[in-house]
Amino acid sequence: MAETVKKAVLAYSGGLDTSVIIPWLKENYHCEVIAVCADVGQGDELNAVEQKAYNSGASKVYIADLTKDFIENYIFPTLKAGATYEEKYLLGTSFARPIIAKKLVEIALEEGADAIAHGATGKGNDQVRFELTVKALAPNLKIIAPWREWDLDSRESELKYAQEHNIPIPTENKKYSMDRNIWHLSHEGSDLEDPWNAPQNNMFLISKAPEDAPDKPEEVTIDFEKGVPIAVNGEKLGAVELITKLNEIGARNGVGIVDICENRLVGMKSRGVYENPAGSILYYAHRELEYLCLDRATFHFKQHVAVKYGELVYDGMWFCQLRESLAAFVDATQESVTGTVRLKLYKGNIISAGAKSPYSLYSKEFVTFEHDDVYNQADATGFINLFGLPLKVRALVNQK
C-alpha cells in the first residue's frame, strides 16, 4: 500500500463492497474519501445511497445523473457500429464503466484529489475498464483497487469488517451478482456457475420469461435518423424515454434474454445471463435498415469493424485512438441509415415485418422477375467470364 494519498474519489454503489471500502481507505491510506454514485438508469433510490455513503464515512457525496449522456454518447455510437462481444453480449456493463470513470476523473480534478478507487475485483473485466479510462484521461492520478490489496476475501469477512466498524450493512442479500443500468441487467454466480443449469424464470427482474409472454404478437415500429433511433410507433421520444419505452415493450414480450459463456479479458470464461429488451430490439431494427441502405462492400466491411469495435469496448479501450477512428468510419456509413423498421415481437422472438427508407438501395425495377427495361441479362455473360477467369486458368494449368 503504500503511496501517500490525501484524498481519494471512490466509485460508490451503496452495496457491501463499496460501503466497506470507505472505512478501509480511511484506515489504510489515512485519506479523505469522496463517494461518487453514478446514475446510469439503474433505478436505485439514490437519496438512500447518498446517506449510506455519509454513514459509512464519506466526507462528501456526489450523485451524478449520467443517463442521457450514457445513451447518446456511449450506447448509440455502439449501436450504430452494430458492435457486440462474441455476437451475443450487447456490452451493457462494458460501456457503462468508461462514462462512470470519466466522471470520477472530472470530480477528482475538481476536488484536487490524488487518487481514484473502485470496488471491482481482481478477477473481472471492470478493473481494466475503470483503470484504462483513468490512464487515458488523467494519467497522473493514483489508482487504488482494494480487492487486489486487502485480505477480505469473502462476503462473510466483509460483513464482519462492516460490523466492527459500525458500517450500515445492506439488508438485501442477492442470490446473484448483478449489474443494472437503463440498457441491461446482468446476472452471474450461484447456480449459473454451472453452464448446464438453465436460468430459472424467477431470476428475471425486467423481462417476462418467453413462455409467460402474451399469446398474441405485438407490432412495433422504430424510426431512425442517421443510425440513431428517434421514434417508437410514430412518437418522437428523447433518448431516455425511447429506451424506457422499448424496455417496457420488449420485456412484456419476453424479448432480449441472452445466455452466454463469454471469454473474459483477464483469461477465464464467465457465464452470464443478460436481460436486454430495448437493446435487442434496437440492434435487430438497426441491422434491418442497414440491409436496405448500405451497399455490399460497405456493409461487409462494417461487419468486420463491428467485431473489432465490440472487442475494444469490452476490453475497456473506449478512449483509445482506434475506437475513436472506427467511430468516425461508422458515422460516415450512417449518413444514409434513415427510415422506419417494423417488427413483430412474440414470446422472446423478434420477427421482421417491413422496412422503408428514402435512401433504400433496393430497386424493384432491377430485381423483378417480371419484364424490365433497365437490366440486360446478357451482360452477365461477360461478367461471369471475367470473374471466373482465375478458376478457369487454374483448371487449365492443372490439366497439363
Side-chain angles (χ1 to χ4, degrees):
M1 264 167 244
E3 297 183 77
T4 303
V5 172
K6 294 180 180 179
K7 189 185 294 186
V9 172
L10 169 67
Y12 183 78
S13 68
L16 177 61
D17 291 347
T18 53
S19 294
V20 167
I21 286 174
I22 293 176
W24 184 89
L25 285 171
K26 295 173 69 175
E27 186 175 88
N28 290 273
Y29 281 88
H30 310 289
C31 63
E32 178 185 347
V33 180
I34 297 172
V36 178
C37 179
D39 181 1
V40 284
Q42 63 267 46
D44 289 344
E45 178 46 67
L46 297 180
N47 290 333
V49 172
E50 180 179 10
Q51 191 55 52
K52 191 180 294 185
Y54 281 120
N55 293 342
S56 299
S59 64
K60 188 181 287 189
V61 180
Y62 284 85
I63 304 294
D65 184 359
L66 306 177
T67 309
K68 185 173 182 288
D69 184 16
F70 177 45
I71 297 171
E72 293 180 343
N73 296 311
Y74 294 79
I75 291 176
F76 284 169
T78 308
L79 168 66
K80 289 193 292 183
T84 63
Y85 183 68
E86 298 185 338
E87 297 184 355
K88 285 177 145 185
Y89 175 44
L90 301 189
L91 301 165
T93 301
S94 306
F95 48 34
R97 297 305 177 245
I99 188 174
I100 294 170
K102 181 172 181 283
K103 178 54 67 173
L104 295 175
V105 167
E106 291 172 359
I107 292 173
L109 297 178
E110 179 184 321
E111 290 282 349
D114 48 355
I116 284 179
H118 63 78
T121 75
K123 285 188 175 183
N125 299 309
D126 281 345
Q127 58 183 336
V128 181
R129 296 163 182 156
F130 276 123
E131 295 180 31
L132 291 188
T133 299
V134 175
K135 291 178 185 299
L137 301 180
N140 294 323
L141 284 174
K142 300 180 182 71
I143 297 171
I144 304 173
W147 272 99
R148 304 203 298 257
E149 297 182 22
W150 66 16
D151 55 3
L152 305 177
D153 58 356
S154 66
R155 180 177 175 82
E156 289 69 29
S157 59
E158 287 186 276
L159 287 170
K160 182 180 178 182
Y161 184 93
Q163 290 168 344
E164 290 172 349
H165 292 76
N166 298 315
I167 302 304
I169 299 170
T171 56
E172 187 177 13
N173 187 9
K174 297 177 181 177
K175 180 178 180 181
Y176 301 100
S177 173
M178 296 185 288
D179 177 79
R180 184 170 186 168
N181 57 51
I182 196 169
W183 186 245
H184 89 155
L185 171 62
S186 65
H187 309 265
E188 294 180 328
S190 189
D191 56 299
L192 296 178
E193 291 187 348
D194 182 350
W196 184 247
N197 290 332
Q200 300 175 24
N201 287 354
N202 60 11
M203 177 185 71
F204 303 128
L205 301 181
I206 298 175
S207 298
K208 283 189 176 182
E211 59 266 37
D212 296 330
D215 294 328
K216 183 179 179 181
E218 180 172 355
E219 194 171 274
V220 59
T221 63
I222 303 165
D223 295 338
F224 290 83
E225 186 174 295
K226 295 185 177 182
V228 174
I230 59 170
V232 175
N233 293 331
E235 179 186 6
K236 284 201 170 185
L237 298 168
V240 175
E241 294 76 20
L242 185 140
I243 298 296
T244 301
K245 181 75 170 177
L246 285 177
N247 272 333
E248 294 169 356
I249 294 172
R252 64 174 171 254
N253 288 284
V255 165
I257 297 171
V258 173
D259 187 345
I260 178 174
C261 196
E262 71 199 48
N263 290 293
R264 280 185 181 172
L265 175 62
V266 294
M268 65 190 77
K269 286 189 180 288
S270 171
R271 200 275 187 91
V273 177
Y274 302 94
E275 298 180 63
N276 213 150
S280 298
I281 293 169
L282 285 173
Y283 265 75
Y284 192 106
H286 181 261
R287 186 174 62 249
E288 290 295 293
L289 196 56
E290 287 194 325
Y291 285 145
L292 283 186
C293 299
L294 298 185
D295 67 81
R296 180 176 185 262
T298 303
F299 185 85
H300 288 182
F301 187 75
K302 187 171 178 289
Q303 288 180 304
H304 295 295
V305 168
V307 172
K308 186 60 182 177
Y309 197 112
E311 288 177 352
L312 290 170
V313 176
Y314 186 85
D315 292 350
M317 299 290 284
W318 184 269
F319 292 103
C320 77
Q321 187 174 15
L322 178 55
R323 206 279 314 167
E324 293 168 353
S325 300
L326 294 180
F329 164 77
V330 168
D331 284 345
T333 69
Q334 299 301 290
E335 286 295 316
S336 63
V337 183
T338 294
T340 303
V341 178
R342 185 171 57 222
L343 303 172
K344 285 196 297 185
L345 311 179
Y346 181 65
K347 290 190 175 295
N349 295 291
I350 305 174
I351 304 160
S352 304
K356 61 181 180 179
S357 169
Y359 302 102
S360 173
L361 300 178
Y362 175 84
S363 172
K364 182 180 178 181
E365 289 76 12
F366 277 97
V367 80
T368 182
F369 285 95
E370 305 302 325
H371 172 76
D372 72 85
D373 296 316
V374 296
Y375 184 81
N376 184 352
Q377 297 197 33
D379 290 345
T381 301
F383 166 74
I384 296 171
N385 286 338
L386 290 176
F387 189 64
L389 184 59
L391 301 177
K392 183 175 181 179
V393 170
R394 182 169 182 263
L396 292 172
V397 169
N398 289 339
Q399 286 178 2
K400 293 179 181 178

